[in-house]
Amino acid sequence: MATKPDILVIIPIRPAQMQMLQDSYTLHRYDQAEDRDAFLTEVGDKIRGVVTMGISPFTEDMLDHLPRLEIVALGSVGYDTIDVEACNARGIPVTNTPDVLTNDVADLAMALTFDSFRGYSRGERYVRQGRWRDEGSMAPTTSVTGKTMGIVGLGRIGKAIARRAEAFEMKVAYHGRREQSEMPYAFFDTPAALAAESDVVVLACPGGDETRGLVNREVLDGLGADGHLVNISRGSVVNEPELLKALQNNRIAGAALDVFDNEPKINEAFFTLDNVVLQPHVGSATQETRGAMAQLVVDNLAAHFSGKPLLTPV
Ligand code: 8YV
């Protein structure tokens, strides 16, 4: 019997799919190692595949420890922490999990938009704290109908958000690397110009160096005192100290965030603000979608090790 290929698990996938990996490969649990550097040095020579996600660094230095590596299979759509260029330069393909998470992430973007405008989370706190009983009705909030949503990054997820926004009778505009003239939405060539025209800016672009700090003071001031920011992309896209200042001084109306700098130990200044909605990075976190994402990891590895074309190479 042929020996099972050795796989390094940097971030595990769902239990059912981990079991499938266990059946077909010899797994080396970097995620459970006490001394990770020593572990990498110890097992690196035999590793042929890596399982990880685009929220954990995978660097050229790690590649140097993996001379027989053939494939990196990500359990995420994002790959901003993965040195894809260095992998590809060594002929190592990287796979990710597009499409299967699009609807869930777009749903969260809409839910956050509604929450920021209509104050659902705030309302929930208002009821639980007995304030409805003691103080009477909560102050009216802001309607979503007819407002303009500016989407940064009109990729698969951005387009799914746009379709939902249209169904809620919002106007849609966007900023991205290039204009997509086939799309029926207004294009703005800078995020600040988009923000100035938008009631809510929704971030749906990839993270990484290209978009780092893209939402800066100028963009926040473009949104203005009635504007909202929704982020379902990566914390790195926002200059977080500037966002905090804008929220603290009510220079924007509100923000609804699924992603942050330094997750999960996020800046606790957010905890004290009433004009921000906070979620623990759950855009794709449904049973269905996380299962489908994990299955793509299994299927991409199976395709690779049986000499078939990869399903979803980056
Ligand atoms: C998950 C994500 O948080 O796919 C991504 O890029 O950010 C999310 O779907 C990720 O898979 C880690 O759990």
Side-chain angles (χ1 to χ4, degrees), residues 63-303:
L63 274 174
D64 286 340
H65 286 84
L66 305 167
R68 294 182 63 203
L69 186 63
E70 297 169 30
I71 180 168
V72 176
L74 302 179
S76 63
V77 71
Y79 47 85
D80 43 296
T81 58
I82 310 295
D83 196 338
V84 176
E85 220 172 281
C87 290
N88 290 167
R90 296 176 193 215
I92 300 164
V94 177
T95 64
N96 68 342
T97 63
D99 298 320
V100 293
L101 46 53
T102 298
N103 286 338
D104 277 346
V105 177
D107 287 350
L108 182 68
M110 291 312 294
L112 291 177
T113 300
F114 270 96
D115 203 337
S116 199
F117 277 72
R118 298 292 304 273
Y120 296 146
S121 295
R122 198 160 64 243
E124 228 263 347
R125 291 194 292 277
Y126 197 79
V127 175
R128 280 184 197 274
Q129 291 164 356
R131 295 181 61 193
W132 187 23
R133 177 196 58 214
D134 299 340
E135 298 173 34
S137 299
M138 190 170 90
T141 57
T142 306
S143 180
V144 162
T145 308
K147 298 294 191 305
T148 299
M149 176 184 281
I151 300 175
V152 176
L154 201 66
R156 296 179 182 89
I157 295 173
K159 288 189 176 99
I161 297 169
R163 287 193 297 273
R164 283 158 173 74
E166 284 185 296
F168 283 106
E169 300 180 27
M170 299 183 83
K171 297 180 203 103
V172 176
Y174 71 103
H175 164 74
R177 270 172 302 191
R178 60 183 178 86
E179 182 166 6
Q180 302 183 50
S181 45
E182 69 285 8
M183 299 309 293
Y185 313 124
F187 171 74
F188 290 85
D189 59 5
T190 66
L194 178 72
E197 288 301 314
S198 302
D199 300 293
V200 55
V201 163
V202 177
L203 304 176
C205 55
D209 288 340
E210 233 179 277
T211 56
R212 196 173 306 284
L214 189 125
V215 174
N216 53 19
R217 195 185 170 97
E218 192 193 358
V219 173
L220 294 166
D221 286 343
L223 264 177
D226 294 326
H228 298 254
L229 180 73
V230 169
N231 192 3
I232 48 85
S233 142
R234 285 291 183 265
S236 60
V237 181
V238 177
N239 181 325
E240 214 168 73
E242 285 294 348
L243 173 61
L244 275 164
K245 273 191 263 172
L247 288 166
Q248 280 154 353
N249 300 320
N250 296 309
R251 285 184 9 253
I252 65 170
L257 310 169
D258 187 42
V259 287
F260 304 83
D261 283 343
N262 201 28
E263 295 173 15
K265 293 183 188 153
I266 70 166
N267 190 328
E268 295 190 6
F270 282 117
F271 297 174
T272 59
L273 292 168
D274 212 34
N275 54 354
V276 65
V277 178
L278 306 171
Q279 285 291 302
H281 198 153
V282 289
S284 68
T286 62
Q287 305 274 5
E288 294 89 339
T289 292
R290 284 287 167 84
M293 293 163 78
Q295 194 59 46
L296 267 176
V297 171
V298 173
D299 294 347
N300 274 304
L301 286 173

